[in-house]
Amino acid sequence: MTKNIDSGIRMIQILRRIGSILFVYFFFHLLISESYHRIAERLRLPELKHIYSEGIYKTANVNNDYEIHNHSHLIIKYNFEENNEIYKNKYTLTEYLPKDNQALDRIFTVHYLKDNPKKNSLNIKYEISQIEKSIHDSSLFWLVIKILGTIILGLILITQIISFIQEFKDFNNPIKVPEYLRK
């Protein structure tokens, strides 16, 4: 009888632990992806500015196959030729395709470095302005807070997983009642 009660209590503890692991993981995942994107933006901006100021540009060849991502982003595959070599890349268009030819030319103009055409970008002015706006809207203070929160939640997640493993190992052992509760 006590073995059934012990295993029932252990099962409830394991289910509670799984719930807490999933809860912490959800917020950990949100913070880590947000921190990653903010850091990637800050690292990408100087590269884009360098490509825009020092690079050359030409009209890209846009492939007919494209992807629609999250019903709001259009992922365009493009390529261009430099020194008899073809370079391919993707561009995520977050706005509707304009009907104006000048705007279309601006979007489908690829900027790249002559000595390293692998570093390239379509619609580079818009991309630079979006990253600058994003950096301006989010302060460095909040980025540091998000990184610290990610580290703390990561440590909590690790301790939750270790506790889950320990509880799972002790599943068949009887529950030990502390001495002060026996009376």
Side-chain angles (χ1 to χ4, degrees):
M1 175 86 174
T2 58
K3 184 167 175 87
N4 289 339
I5 292 173
D6 285 352
S7 63
I9 291 171
R10 295 270 190 210
M11 184 56 77
I12 291 171
Q13 287 176 332
I14 286 176
L15 290 174
R16 183 189 55 82
R17 184 68 64 192
I18 290 172
S20 65
I21 287 172
L22 292 175
F23 182 79
V24 172
Y25 176 76
F26 175 75
F27 287 105
F28 174 75
H29 181 70
L30 284 177
L31 275 177
I32 201 163
S33 64
E34 176 69 18
S35 300
Y36 171 78
H37 289 297
R38 296 295 168 229
I39 291 170
E41 283 179 341
R42 290 180 185 272
L43 295 175
R44 177 122 170 96
L45 184 62
E47 179 184 342
L48 286 175
K49 285 184 176 181
H50 178 69
I51 291 171
Y52 184 69
S53 65
E54 303 294 323
I56 56 177
Y57 59 93
K58 66 169 70 170
T59 302
N61 302 318
V62 179
N63 298 357
N64 288 334
D65 56 333
Y66 56 88
E67 301 170 22
I68 298 175
H69 185 66
N70 290 339
H71 301 291
S72 61
H73 301 322
L74 184 66
I75 300 175
I76 300 168
K77 296 176 183 177
Y78 67 93
N79 62 57
F80 63 96
E81 186 176 332
E82 180 63 36
N83 297 328
N84 295 324
E85 193 169 338
I86 295 177
Y87 296 92
K88 298 179 181 181
N89 206 345
K90 293 180 181 180
Y91 175 72
T92 303
L93 185 66
T94 57
E95 55 191 21
Y96 291 107
L97 276 174
K99 295 183 182 191
D100 179 28
N101 285 340
Q102 283 184 324
L104 283 173
D105 286 343
R106 185 188 77 242
I107 290 173
F108 296 120
T109 299
V110 61
H111 287 77
Y112 60 94
L113 295 174
K114 180 81 172 165
D115 56 335
N116 188 2
K118 290 181 182 177
K119 292 187 177 189
N120 60 71
S121 178
L122 283 184
N123 201 9
I124 197 164
K125 279 186 180 179
Y126 178 76
E127 194 172 351
I128 289 172
S129 70
Q130 288 301 105
I131 292 174
E132 285 176 339
K133 181 181 180 293
S134 175
I135 290 173
H136 178 70
D137 290 347
S138 65
S139 69
L140 189 60
F141 172 76
W142 286 112
L143 177 62
V144 171
I145 293 295
K146 288 174 188 174
I147 291 171
L148 289 174
T150 302
I151 292 169
I152 290 168
L153 280 178
L155 293 173
I156 291 171
L157 185 62
I158 289 170
T159 58
Q160 290 282 331
I161 291 171
I162 290 170
S163 295
F164 172 75
I165 292 169
Q166 188 61 41
E167 286 176 11
F168 195 74
K169 284 180 180 178
D170 291 342
F171 188 78
N172 290 326
N173 296 339
I175 295 176
K176 296 177 185 166
V177 179
E179 192 64 41
Y180 65 91
L181 291 176
R182 289 186 188 186
K183 294 182 181 180

